[in-house]
Amino acid sequence: MAHPGIGEGIDRVDARVKVSGRAAYPTDHDRPDLAHAVLVQSTVGAGRITAVDASSAKAAPGVLAVITHENAPELHEARDRKATLPPPPLQSDRIVHHGQTVAVVVAETFEQATEGALLVRVEYAPATPVVHIDDPRAEHVHDPFGSDDGTGDVEKALAAAPVRVEQTYRTAVNTNHPMGPFATVASWDGDELTVHDCTQGPSRTRADLAATFNAPQDTVRVLAPYLGGGFGAGLRTWSHTVLAAVAARHVGRPVKLVLTRKQMFTSVGHRPDTTQRLRIGATRDGRITAIDHEARQTLSMCDVNTEMVSRVSLSGYASPNLSARDVQVRVNVPSPGSMRAPGDGQGNFALECALDELAHELGMDPLELRLRNYAEEHPVTGQQWSSNDLRECYRVGAEEFGWSRRTPEPRSMRRGRTLVGYGMAGTSFFFYQPPCSARITVGRDGHAVVGSAGMDLGTGTYTVMTQLAAELLALPLQRVHMVMGDSSLPQAPSAGGSGLTGSMGSAVHAASRNLIRSFLDLVRDDPASPLHGAGEDDVRVQDGRIVRKDGGGGESYEAILTRYRREELTAEGSAGAPAEDRPVVPTGPYAAKFAEVHVDPDLGVVRVARLVTAAHCGRILNEKTARSQLIGGTVGGIGMALLEETITEPRTGRIANGTLGDYLVAVNADIPELDVHFVGGPDPTNPNGTKGCGELGIPGTPAAIANAVFHATGTRVRHLPITIEDLL
């Protein structure tokens, strides 16, 4: 029985369910006697609520309840709010940002709830909001993650360096905009809570809700088998999820709460803006002697968010003197959160643009500068990389792109009147592989069911885990069924940080080995079995059978279960996070990005004409889904470079472009053919040899584009997005 091999670009196993409309997203779930909730949000950016008049709303047809800070139940703050759970909603009269939820209206229908929300009158004692990262009134939080680090004497090395680059780079606020607006359906059965939610981590959301309601975790069930996109927005348990559960308990009925597109701008996080100061010293032959990277980013008034921006400079290039520091600046904005490639997306832009400036100052090819400073080992710790094929990424990417055709002088390449620019960047993404568990059951019919609480936010996890389990059990793909997105399954991490494939894959690997051991335990003392007395090291799996390596025969799973009158056999497996204090440091994926841009010299319009990515992502479980992830991330990187910017009014704190008509995202017309090439081999950190790849598409893309714009025009733009006005 043949089964698809790992690495083959097979179609997604959940594709038919999705394209036929049978995939149930959170908004698709209806319950008997379902009520609907709509949020009322603040119209001031800071201050206090002085009065709430809900009388007209309560008298409106169909309205069941209006919940405000005056009648909301006490909600508990999680003991460890480490970037997953914002402060509980509706617990005081304080306003910390424009668009903060100040009330929830519950009604028989969505339309009635919407009408009721318009009738709620809220009065404020407003204060002047602090919204800008450079506002001197803002509070600064130094070393917020305990991650500031370095080596050597940076100041001394910079002072002695023959060549120095010192510049400030800025990145804008970007807002996550998944295709599906976030929604929650919550229902209580006594003290047991069930929610269908737009979460990237059912296990985490269960823990957050249990902490909020001071309840045992086993009384909460979170379901998220399908998600209409997330890009990091689903990595936190947002207030609308909590409030849907509050509303359901308040009215004694299931409640559905769906955010509007405008509310998505204020309710599910964003990529915080940054101001980054880079100082690089080098010798005249291009050896980097010092890198100093200080990054400031915005943070909301009463929340936490983990976004390590400057760390890219601690591991990117060889230098004896390094310093990286992060500072968070508290302002009156909605709570930030992870957005694809958090921290690395912003930090890589500053570092790789600064290197391009250094190469120009030296009169050196930007690719040669990076090759000359390739880090053979971790620059700070001295550890060897678990695997690092960045050199090969540079070679393959440059060859596929045709980098050798680049002429060095800015404005030296044209196509007719159009200015042509070539730019490149190197990049990596941090290693992340948290603990995970999985369960495998094989039935008498020869089918396997694999389960884990992790979810597939669209990256292809259903598919690659099905492929992996099929390989580990030697079963045809059609006889393996993957079940995910349910917190009642074995605990799993959130789908984020490019870590789920490594984590869940390792857990599935462990579960499959434990299952084979269980089958061998059944037949170990059975003289009628060809596997009698065999241990794990004596066998392998082949064509749905466990067979002896010495050729002494074997048995199928079905035959063993039938003989022992067992309907099924189940085993669980777990995998922990690998230790990072070893001689070899676990390392994430790497890539080299090469961009060609065309710039209209009269209009300042920038078009990305080509973009080539060469990536080292370890063992590729499915080329089609892996390539799709890098292409999707690259599209986001183009948006970050040229289009996306969430604009906040400085006097009011209101988001001024809170619609998809005003907040620009990349569309088909903005995107050229995107080439992706995989290089390198498996990584030994986990038994399946994988690295993450889902977030590798963004880091490097904005920098490669910005560097290409400089090459085309001679104008160095040190902020994102790059606009027409910058080039006129």
Side-chain angles (χ1 to χ4, degrees), residues 524-548:
R524 180 165 285 112
D525 299 324
D526 184 355
S529 171
L531 300 172
H532 172 246
E536 181 186 1
D537 294 336
D538 303 319
V539 301
R540 57 186 172 85
V541 292
Q542 178 181 326
D543 296 333
R545 295 162 54 84
I546 305 173
V547 299
R548 286 184 175 272

Side-chain angles (χ1 to χ4, degrees), residues 267-334:
S267 306
V268 295
H270 59 268
R271 187 195 308 280
D273 54 328
T274 69
T275 297
Q276 302 175 59
R277 180 171 175 250
L278 257 293
R279 297 186 296 162
I280 302 180
T283 61
R284 297 210 174 272
D285 65 351
R287 302 288 177 179
I288 296 174
T289 58
I291 300 177
D292 181 68
H293 190 167
E294 181 178 83
R296 291 189 298 149
Q297 60 180 284
T298 50
L299 179 68
S300 60
M301 282 295 183
C302 54
D303 197 7
V304 296
N305 182 52
T306 302
E307 190 106 0
M308 290 177 277
V309 175
S310 67
R311 69 176 162 191
V312 297
S313 293
L314 293 176
S315 59
Y317 296 96
S319 174
N321 305 285
L322 297 169
S323 178
R325 302 174 306 285
D326 280 287
V327 179
Q328 290 185 308
V329 182
R330 289 201 180 275
V331 290
N332 291 109
V333 298

Side-chain angles (χ1 to χ4, degrees), residues 79 191-194 202-222 487-488 491:
R79 285 181 290 275
D191 289 331
E192 296 187 349
L193 171 64
T194 300
S203 293
R204 188 213 67 248
T205 298
R206 178 185 65 175
D208 287 344
L209 289 172
T212 299
F213 291 100
N214 197 26
Q217 287 197 30
D218 60 7
T219 64
V220 179
R221 186 181 184 189
V222 177
S487 65
S488 67
Q491 186 165 344

Side-chain angles (χ1 to χ4, degrees), residues 551-622:
E555 283 194 279
S556 68
Y557 306 122
E558 304 100 293
I560 296 173
L561 291 171
T562 299
R563 189 166 68 255
Y564 282 87
R565 298 179 181 178
R566 300 281 294 267
E567 291 299 320
E568 61 187 29
L569 197 59
T570 298
E572 291 196 11
S574 297
E580 297 194 32
D581 57 350
R582 305 176 301 173
V584 175
V585 61
T587 49
Y590 295 88
K593 312 285 183 78
F594 295 84
E596 176 183 336
V597 302
H598 294 171
V599 183
D600 187 305
D602 299 318
L603 302 178
V605 175
V606 179
R607 295 289 185 189
V608 179
R610 291 188 299 138
L611 211 153
V612 173
T613 298
H616 173 215
C617 299
R619 186 189 188 204
I620 302 299
L621 300 183
N622 185 315

Side-chain angles (χ1 to χ4, degrees), residues 83-326:
T84 63
L85 187 61
L90 301 184
Q91 298 298 288
S92 78
D93 61 1
R94 185 185 180 197
I95 300 298
V96 295
H97 69 86
H98 200 290
Q100 176 182 325
T101 296
V102 295
V104 183
V105 177
V106 189
E108 295 285 355
T109 68
F110 170 74
E111 292 76 13
Q112 290 170 334
T114 301
E115 176 66 19
L118 294 172
L119 296 174
V120 176
R121 299 287 178 259
V122 183
E123 296 180 9
Y124 304 94
T128 303
V130 176
V131 300
H132 200 277
I133 194 169
D134 293 326
D135 194 314
R137 297 171 296 167
E139 174 193 352
H140 287 58
V141 183
H142 292 270
D143 193 12
F145 324 117
S147 61
D148 289 3
D149 203 356
T151 187
D153 189 332
V154 168
E155 295 300 332
K156 182 178 179 180
L158 285 171
V163 182
R164 288 188 298 276
V165 168
E166 299 184 16
Q167 295 293 348
T168 298
Y169 304 87
R170 295 176 180 268
T171 63
V173 172
N174 298 158
T175 300
N176 316 49
H177 279 296
M179 188 178 297
F182 273 28
T184 304
V185 179
S187 61
W188 292 86
D189 182 3
D191 289 331
E192 296 187 349
L193 171 64
T194 300
V195 299
H196 296 266
D197 191 48
C198 292
T199 175
Q200 292 172 225
S203 293
R204 188 213 67 248
T205 298
R206 178 185 65 175
D208 287 344
L209 289 172
T212 299
F213 291 100
N214 197 26
Q217 287 197 30
D218 60 7
T219 64
V220 179
R221 186 181 184 189
V222 177
L223 297 159
Y226 298 103
L227 184 63
F231 315 111
L235 290 174
R236 306 189 75 181
T237 304
W238 298 106
S239 63
H240 72 273
T241 300
V242 174
L243 291 173
V246 168
R249 174 171 273 181
H250 188 92
V251 300
R253 292 168 55 175
V255 166
K256 177 184 287 190
L257 195 163
V258 182
L259 296 180
T260 66
R261 182 58 65 181
K262 183 178 180 181
Q263 289 169 345
M264 291 286 287
F265 277 87
T266 59
S267 306
V268 295
H270 59 268
R271 187 195 308 280
D273 54 328
T274 69
T275 297
Q276 302 175 59
R277 180 171 175 250
L278 257 293
R279 297 186 296 162
I280 302 180
T283 61
R284 297 210 174 272
D285 65 351
R287 302 288 177 179
I288 296 174
T289 58
I291 300 177
D292 181 68
H293 190 167
E294 181 178 83
R296 291 189 298 149
Q297 60 180 284
T298 50
L299 179 68
S300 60
M301 282 295 183
C302 54
D303 197 7
V304 296
N305 182 52
T306 302
E307 190 106 0
M308 290 177 277
V309 175
S310 67
R311 69 176 162 191
V312 297
S313 293
L314 293 176
S315 59
Y317 296 96
S319 174
N321 305 285
L322 297 169
S323 178
R325 302 174 306 285
D326 280 287

Side-chain angles (χ1 to χ4, degrees), residues 8-46:
E8 292 187 20
I10 67 166
D11 293 339
R12 295 171 184 259
V13 298
D14 53 336
R16 289 185 179 274
V17 174
K18 288 182 174 178
V19 300
S20 64
R22 290 179 287 128
Y25 295 86
T27 51
D28 295 323
H29 288 279
D30 289 318
R31 300 289 298 271
D33 204 26
L34 182 73
H36 295 263
V38 169
L39 301 180
V40 180
Q41 296 188 311
S42 168
T43 57
V44 301

Side-chain angles (χ1 to χ4, degrees), residues 446-680:
H447 286 71
V449 177
V450 185
S452 182
M455 57 81 60
D456 186 340
L457 80 153
T459 54
T461 308
Y462 276 118
T463 304
V464 296
M465 289 302 123
T466 301
Q467 286 181 274
L468 183 60
E471 179 188 68
L472 293 170
L473 298 173
L475 289 172
L477 201 68
Q478 63 270 22
R479 285 170 61 180
V480 177
H481 178 60
M482 189 73 202
V483 182
M484 297 171 62
D486 183 344
S487 65
S488 67
L489 293 167
Q491 186 165 344
S494 300
S498 289
L500 187 60
T501 295
S503 295
M504 190 180 292
S506 298
V508 169
H509 189 279
S512 68
R513 295 190 63 174
N514 291 340
L515 185 63
I516 299 303
R517 289 193 193 102
S518 297
F519 273 101
L520 293 176
D521 287 342
L522 276 180
V523 300
R524 180 165 285 112
D525 299 324
D526 184 355
S529 171
L531 300 172
H532 172 246
E536 181 186 1
D537 294 336
D538 303 319
V539 301
R540 57 186 172 85
V541 292
Q542 178 181 326
D543 296 333
R545 295 162 54 84
I546 305 173
V547 299
R548 286 184 175 272
K549 292 179 180 177
D550 60 9
E555 283 194 279
S556 68
Y557 306 122
E558 304 100 293
I560 296 173
L561 291 171
T562 299
R563 189 166 68 255
Y564 282 87
R565 298 179 181 178
R566 300 281 294 267
E567 291 299 320
E568 61 187 29
L569 197 59
T570 298
E572 291 196 11
S574 297
E580 297 194 32
D581 57 350
R582 305 176 301 173
V584 175
V585 61
T587 49
Y590 295 88
K593 312 285 183 78
F594 295 84
E596 176 183 336
V597 302
H598 294 171
V599 183
D600 187 305
D602 299 318
L603 302 178
V605 175
V606 179
R607 295 289 185 189
V608 179
R610 291 188 299 138
L611 211 153
V612 173
T613 298
H616 173 215
C617 299
R619 186 189 188 204
I620 302 299
L621 300 183
N622 185 315
E623 274 208 27
K624 183 179 288 189
T625 57
R627 180 170 284 107
S628 175
Q629 281 303 291
L630 281 167
I631 289 173
T634 301
V635 170
I638 292 172
M640 184 178 176
L642 300 176
L643 299 167
E644 296 189 47
E645 181 178 14
T646 305
I647 299 171
T648 300
E649 292 179 347
R651 288 186 297 175
T652 66
R654 184 182 75 94
I655 292 176
N657 59 336
T659 72
L660 288 183
D662 299 305
Y663 179 91
L664 303 181
V665 297
V667 298
N668 284 349
D670 300 307
I671 306 302
E673 188 71 24
L674 302 177
D675 294 331
V676 175
H677 304 272
F678 293 109
V679 307

